[in-house]
């Protein structure tokens, strides 16, 4: 009888824990959607061929060295689809105080990024008006992220169409 009660209690605790995790995930998604809604409600139609990066964020994830990025790319009143790629340049500081730069995707150069030949399809972009990009990356153990620059390249171009620098420390 006691074992059955303890078993039911553990099952209920596990179910409550799972529901709590689901509620947290839904609250996070709801907050992201509210941010998107607030942005679009205040969006004034862009002019011309301008590409803009909005709400670029980089946050440390649970484990040391893991980071998550999120941004919204918006183009003006263009009538054609934007096709290109996204590149992250992560400035690191090691435990010994030396600086290093890490390009993501790892094999990307400006030329590779524009051709979409980076190591991940997640870095390719194709959209007409706006695109929300998000993903994760990992830095070497003991390294501290100083800043992250996002650059967006249009296919066939070696010049970035838009870039934004975010300092983390």
């Amino acid at each position: 009888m006691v074992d059955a009660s303890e078993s039911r209690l553990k099952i209920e605790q596990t179910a409550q824990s799972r529901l709590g995790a689901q509620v947290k995930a839904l609250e996070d998604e709801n907050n992201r959607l509210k941010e998107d809604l607030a942005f679009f409600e205040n969006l004034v139609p862009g002019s011309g061929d301008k590409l803009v990066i909005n709400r670029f964020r980089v946050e440390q994830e649970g484990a040391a060295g893991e980071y998550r990025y999120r941004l919204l790319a918006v183009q003006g009143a263009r009538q054609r689809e934007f096709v290109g790629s996204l590149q992250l340049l992560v400035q690191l500081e090691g435990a010994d105080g030396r600086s290093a730069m890490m390009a993501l995707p790892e094999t990307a150069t400006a030329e590779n990024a524009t051709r979409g030949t980076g190591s991940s399809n997640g870095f390719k972009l194709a959209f007409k008006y706006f695109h929300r990009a998000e993903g994760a990356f990992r830095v070497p153990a003991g390294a501290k992220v100083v800043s992250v620059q996002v650059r967006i390249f249009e296919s066939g171009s070696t010049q970035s169409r838009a870039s934004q620098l975010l300092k983390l420390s």
Side-chain angles (χ1 to χ4, degrees), residues 8-151:
R8 274 190 245 130
L9 180 61
K10 286 183 182 180
I11 290 171
E12 288 177 14
Q13 288 173 338
T14 302
Q16 186 176 12
S17 174
R18 288 182 183 165
L19 284 173
Q22 288 177 338
V23 166
K24 169 115 176 72
L26 289 171
E27 286 174 345
D28 290 345
E29 177 66 14
N30 190 31
N31 287 335
R32 278 195 301 267
L33 291 172
K34 283 180 180 179
E35 289 175 3
D36 285 350
L37 178 61
F39 170 76
F40 287 116
E41 285 176 342
N42 294 320
L43 185 63
V44 176
S47 61
D49 218 20
K50 189 163 176 100
L51 180 67
V52 179
I53 298 170
N54 285 307
R55 296 187 354 256
F56 178 45
R57 293 195 179 131
V58 176
E59 299 165 343
Q60 189 165 3
E61 287 271 291
E66 290 184 11
Y67 290 83
R68 187 153 214 49
Y69 68 89
R70 185 171 61 216
L71 65 96
L72 182 68
V74 179
Q75 66 175 340
R78 277 174 75 146
Q79 295 302 313
R80 64 182 176 93
E81 182 177 48
F82 175 86
V83 178
S85 61
L86 176 139
Q87 180 187 46
L88 296 176
L89 296 175
V90 183
Q91 182 181 1
L92 304 171
E93 184 177 293
D96 58 1
R98 294 192 314 185
S99 292
M101 189 67 77
M102 185 170 86
L104 299 171
E106 292 176 5
T107 59
T109 62
E111 186 174 327
N112 286 343
T114 61
R115 292 187 180 148
T117 59
S119 62
S120 169
N121 286 339
F123 292 91
K124 292 181 182 179
L125 300 174
F127 62 95
K128 189 163 184 178
Y129 299 110
F130 63 91
H131 178 79
R132 180 168 43 182
E134 54 186 299
F137 63 91
R138 180 184 294 266
V139 298
K144 177 181 173 185
V145 176
V146 176
S147 66
V148 180
Q149 180 182 27
V150 61
R151 302 188 311 174

